[in-house]
Amino acid sequence: MVNVLVFDYGGIIVNMDWNLLRDALSQAGISRLRMFFYRKKIKSLMNRYIDGIEPEEEVMKEMLAMCRPGTSETQVNYLISTLCGNIPASRLEMLVKLRKKYKVYLLSNINDTLWKECQKKMQDLGYTAEDCFDDVFLSYRMGVAKPDPKIFEMLQAATHLIPEETLYFDDNAANIATGKQLHYQSIHVKECCLEDYVDLIPDYQAIVKG
């Protein structure tokens, strides 16, 4: 039995173009050579920035320290916009329809700046977060980020969902591992789009075509 759907955001609701992200990093002054030699540090900085647990300004200073001198605000803003990904309107429409049968929640590692930008992208397509989700659970508001089990436990406490009756979609293997540990029906979306997995939702075709 499935009564609740929980979706990650980046790589699930939005499509992430990693080639475009690398280009944005390059424009922000982080060369491909530096990306290669400092890939672990850059990935850590990006995750820390996205999560929003630490002050965004402090993490951004560390990131800018890796850029060439004179990197402009426009280049940094382009990088931030790239991190917001591309939202297919059809996916937002799908979420609205799924809410007719299921409770639909967003569980995302995201900071305040990125979330505001993502909301603007939704609005440009004629939707709001309130249209698409019964509630949103965001790391920067909660003070904890996936894959920490605490964020799942806070979600459960707020919604009274039953993990065994919840389908959880994420593209990050560590997050999926935590979900499985906590008995969520966890679906690892690997290197393709969410639409390749949605038939795992009971009655999906009837819901979206109805």
Side-chain angles (χ1 to χ4, degrees), residues 26-192:
S26 181
Q27 287 194 36
I30 301 177
S31 67
R32 290 185 181 272
L33 186 63
R34 177 159 287 202
M35 286 182 218
F36 177 77
F37 283 109
Y38 295 96
R39 57 189 179 277
K40 288 185 179 179
K41 183 175 181 180
I42 292 169
K43 184 177 180 180
S44 174
L45 283 170
M46 297 287 283
N47 286 337
R48 286 167 55 202
Y49 175 74
I50 290 169
D51 292 350
I53 306 300
E54 302 173 57
E56 293 176 39
E57 300 79 12
E58 292 181 12
V59 183
M60 184 59 76
K61 283 181 183 177
E62 290 186 55
M63 193 177 298
L64 286 172
M66 297 197 70
C67 300
R68 63 176 172 268
T71 296
S72 70
E73 183 177 341
T74 298
Q75 290 165 327
V76 173
N77 287 337
Y78 174 59
L79 173 58
I80 291 171
S81 177
T82 303
L83 286 170
C84 293
N86 173 55
I87 312 175
S90 59
R91 206 165 287 166
L92 299 182
E93 181 183 2
M94 174 194 75
L95 292 170
V96 171
K97 290 181 177 180
L98 287 172
R99 287 189 63 202
K100 295 176 181 179
K101 178 171 181 179
Y102 298 101
K103 288 288 185 180
V104 178
Y105 300 114
L106 179 70
L107 181 66
S108 177
N109 289 353
I110 197 167
N111 67 32
D112 181 48
T113 298
L114 293 176
W115 180 238
K116 286 176 180 175
E117 288 297 316
C118 290
Q119 287 180 295
K120 288 178 184 176
K121 286 178 178 284
M122 288 186 195
Q123 289 167 3
D124 288 343
L125 294 171
Y127 295 89
T128 66
E130 290 76 14
D131 294 329
C132 301
F133 303 102
D134 289 275
D135 208 344
V136 298
F137 295 86
L138 312 176
S139 58
Y140 85 92
R141 292 179 182 171
M142 301 169 79
V144 62
K146 296 178 290 183
D148 193 319
K150 289 181 182 177
I151 196 168
F152 292 87
E153 292 163 358
M154 292 168 73
L155 165 68
Q156 186 176 344
T159 63
H160 306 291
L161 64 77
I162 299 171
E164 292 84 354
E165 298 177 4
T166 302
L167 270 183
Y168 163 52
F169 295 86
D170 203 305
D171 65 330
N172 183 289
N175 299 342
I176 287 295
T178 300
K180 289 182 177 179
Q181 175 188 336
L182 297 175
H183 307 294
Y184 288 76
Q185 297 186 45
S186 304
I187 310 299
H188 189 189
V189 178
K190 301 177 184 178
E191 297 182 2
C192 47

